[in-house]
Amino acid sequence: MTVRRHVAMQDAMRCDLPYARPGQVIGLLGGSFDPAHEGHVHITKMALKRFGLDRVWWLVSPGNPLKEHGPAGMEKRLAHARAIMRHPKVEVTDLEARTGTRYTAATLEAVKRLYPGVTFVWLMGADNLAQFHLWQDWRGIMETTPMGVIARPGTRGAARNSVAAHSFAHAKLPSGSSRLLGRCAAPCWCFINVPMSHASSTEIRAKGEWQR
């Protein structure tokens, strides 16, 4: 591929991507959102407030490599997510599908190339931290990207005793300093406790309230 063609493809892709300017701190909340629910909305608002983020982007993924069965169609999940996540500082995007990446490490590399000068903070629930060591290049993610971890029901103990938490204990930011997360050089992560929502995508699907 020629340099000119590569630049043209990048420019074309940018037209449909979220806007961010250098110096901003953007939180990234990835997942299948199958379906998105009030719990996602809750932790997003808490992340904006507690981590001092300029914006949060929901990265609706084509599919989770760690899950055996695929999610509902992308357009359905995007539309539903946008219907329930209405906030001026939050944008729902299919950026991961546009970059052609499925694993978080590759997605972060692509996003950082697209937005030079922007600081990205990876957001996750405490349940994901508990099994974060199963993710592809999880050490690379923690070493290069600040991470905000938000407590969810029944996952605090497992998260705090996880492989990732122990391996990067030296890089943990006190919860009282959580608003500094986006200004800290990686590796840096912060675990916060917030008022909890027990909403669950799995339970919503089990009740037949969401059809794939």
Side-chain angles (χ1 to χ4, degrees):
M1 182 185 297
T2 65
V3 173
R4 181 176 296 179
R5 183 182 177 190
H6 177 74
V7 172
M9 290 178 65
Q10 291 284 81
D11 288 344
M13 187 168 63
R14 274 184 182 280
C15 293
D16 296 322
L17 294 183
Y19 171 77
R21 64 178 182 272
Q24 285 189 312
V25 180
I26 308 293
L28 301 176
L29 182 64
S32 57
F33 296 96
D34 186 35
H37 52 69
E38 186 55 38
H40 295 124
V41 175
H42 175 66
I43 66 172
T44 297
K45 291 179 177 179
M46 291 295 100
L48 277 167
K49 178 180 179 180
R50 296 288 300 276
F51 296 131
L53 307 172
D54 293 307
R55 298 183 65 80
V56 169
W57 297 349
W58 281 14
L59 305 185
V60 181
S61 67
N64 186 336
L66 295 180
K67 292 184 179 180
E68 181 178 355
H69 302 291
M74 174 68 82
E75 292 304 318
K76 178 178 181 178
R77 289 182 288 129
L78 283 168
H80 181 74
R82 288 168 177 152
I84 71 165
M85 185 66 259
R86 297 181 178 274
H87 192 286
K89 292 186 176 182
V90 182
E91 186 158 357
V92 177
T93 174
D94 61 350
L95 190 151
E96 197 168 30
R98 296 182 180 279
T99 58
T101 56
R102 292 189 65 205
Y103 291 95
T104 299
T107 297
L108 287 169
E109 289 180 4
V111 170
K112 290 172 185 177
R113 286 196 301 269
L114 286 167
Y115 296 93
V118 175
T119 296
F120 290 99
V121 173
W122 186 255
L123 304 173
M124 64 165 61
D127 55 334
N128 279 322
L129 182 65
Q131 48 91 56
F132 188 60
H133 61 285
L134 301 177
W135 293 27
Q136 186 179 77
D137 194 21
W138 66 275
R139 289 183 179 275
I141 295 172
M142 293 200 75
E143 288 169 354
T144 59
T145 308
M147 182 180 298
V149 182
I150 304 155
R152 295 188 64 187
T155 60
R156 291 172 176 165
R160 286 173 170 155
N161 292 312
S162 66
V163 173
H166 283 296
S167 298
F168 285 86
H170 63 284
K172 186 178 181 183
L173 186 70
S175 60
S177 301
S178 60
R179 291 185 64 84
L180 301 177
L181 181 61
R183 312 298 175 187
C184 293
C188 183
W189 64 284
C190 187
F191 185 102
I192 61 171
N193 292 304
V194 300
M196 293 186 180
S197 167
H198 291 267
S200 163
S201 295
T202 301
E203 292 183 5
I204 291 172
R205 294 195 303 270
K207 293 177 181 178
E209 299 172 0
W210 175 256
Q211 299 299 320
R212 289 178 169 175

